[in-house]
Amino acid sequence: MEEAAVLYVVPTPLGNLGDITLRALDVLRQVPWVAAEDTRHTAPLLKYYGCGARLLAAHQHNEEGAAQQVIAKLAAGESVALVSDAGTPAVSDPGARLVARVRDAGFRIVPLPGPCAAIAALSASGLSEPHFLFYGFLPSKAKQRADALRELLTHPHALIFYEAPHRILETVAALAAAFGPQRTLVFARELSKLFETIHGCPLGEALAWLHADANRQRGEFVLLVSGAPAPGGDGEGERVLRVLLDDGLSVKQAAKLAHAISGTAKNTLYEKALALRGG
Ligand code: SAM
């Protein structure tokens, strides 16, 4: 641990209690104070890990006051660990305002890497976009949600949403309505828990998958959507190319026609067609 008093930002498990890092355990066992989103939730966790720290409440309704308490502890030379109920504090969780106040007060913040539902879900999604946009929770009201999704419609990066079980059906319906049936939706449900499920399908099939088994609608969800295909870009060109090749056209003819239809460079399509035929 560091010499001077610092605020540690400590991720905690999403479900499986084994998902705590050695460093997080070290910090939680040594700090005199833990600032927690819900002290009733964190108390048994600290007990389980053998940590004797005292708890401070730091939730979304008292973050400013909690920040002052934390600053007072740090000023007295006592380090504090900030935790949320699960995963990484300040990621769709309280913590950001407290961290900002503590930094403004001149104290060091030390973030510990660790569990985060978005990153765990992304790692198992199979989505290959080089970039992603973490959105978190969509608005709960239908109109605001549709407006938010409209703004994301042409976004080329993979999109990551959080959702609670009671809204999963309406949110998936809204995603399909906004983005159309073809883009891929990956469900990452109950990560690190007994009923962990990772399932990817076209958005047009996603509601049917949820309805096929009521258990699939239960638990915590990360929803990932593949990015928008570039207009006239490789996505559209490749789609057309595949159709033409499947229809029996030669590599040369398929590349030529796919270029005429999609506008994707002819050389790119020709090479792609050779690779597809070869495969
Ligand atoms: N700070 C947390 C993190 O680092 O991921 C997120 C907290 S946010 C209040 C809770 C949301 O995270 C849930 O509604 C769900 O979307 C997602 N989440 C949390 N645990 C999850 C899990 N085990 N499986 C899937 N999603 C989870």
Side-chain angles (χ1 to χ4, degrees), residues 35-205:
E37 179 184 7
D38 183 343
T39 54
R40 289 162 309 175
H41 179 95
T42 299
L45 198 73
L46 293 186
K47 194 164 172 225
Y48 177 84
Y49 292 129
C51 312
R54 279 167 292 170
L55 283 159
L56 293 172
H59 47 78
Q60 59 171 334
H61 304 295
N62 80 338
E63 239 183 306
E64 295 292 340
Q68 295 316 315
Q69 275 186 288
V70 168
I71 288 167
K73 302 296 176 207
L74 296 171
E78 296 181 307
S79 289
V80 180
L82 172 67
V83 302
S84 60
D85 284 356
T88 301
V91 176
S92 291
D93 261 343
R97 277 184 294 161
L98 188 149
V99 162
R101 295 293 167 271
V102 169
R103 191 173 25 246
D104 288 349
F107 293 100
R108 191 165 158 225
I109 320 282
V110 176
L112 271 59
C116 175
I119 299 303
L122 181 68
S123 73
S125 70
L127 296 178
S128 54
E129 284 86 338
H131 308 287
F132 66 89
L133 184 146
F134 171 69
Y135 195 91
F137 291 99
L138 283 159
S140 55
K141 296 210 171 85
K143 161 91 171 62
Q144 281 95 320
R145 185 170 51 218
D147 289 346
L149 290 175
R150 200 170 311 113
E151 280 189 22
L152 295 171
L153 180 60
T154 55
H155 208 287
H157 305 160
L159 304 172
I160 307 181
F161 302 99
Y162 280 167
E163 197 45 279
H166 64 280
R167 271 203 286 271
I168 189 67
L169 287 172
E170 57 182 289
T171 296
V172 168
L175 288 170
F179 298 153
Q182 276 174 353
R183 287 167 66 175
T184 299
L185 173 66
V186 179
F187 292 95
R189 173 180 163 257
E190 292 289 86
L191 291 168
S192 80
K193 301 186 195 176
L194 187 58
F195 296 108
E196 179 178 88
T197 313
I198 316 277
H199 175 76
C201 61
L203 256 173
E205 294 170 17

Side-chain angles (χ1 to χ4, degrees), residues 241-254 269-279:
L241 189 68
R242 283 173 187 275
V243 172
L244 297 172
L245 287 172
D246 286 350
D247 224 35
L249 267 69
S250 71
V251 163
K252 201 171 159 193
Q253 284 172 315
L269 288 168
Y270 185 74
E271 275 165 28
K272 187 83 209 171
L274 278 178
L276 287 169
R277 255 302 139 77

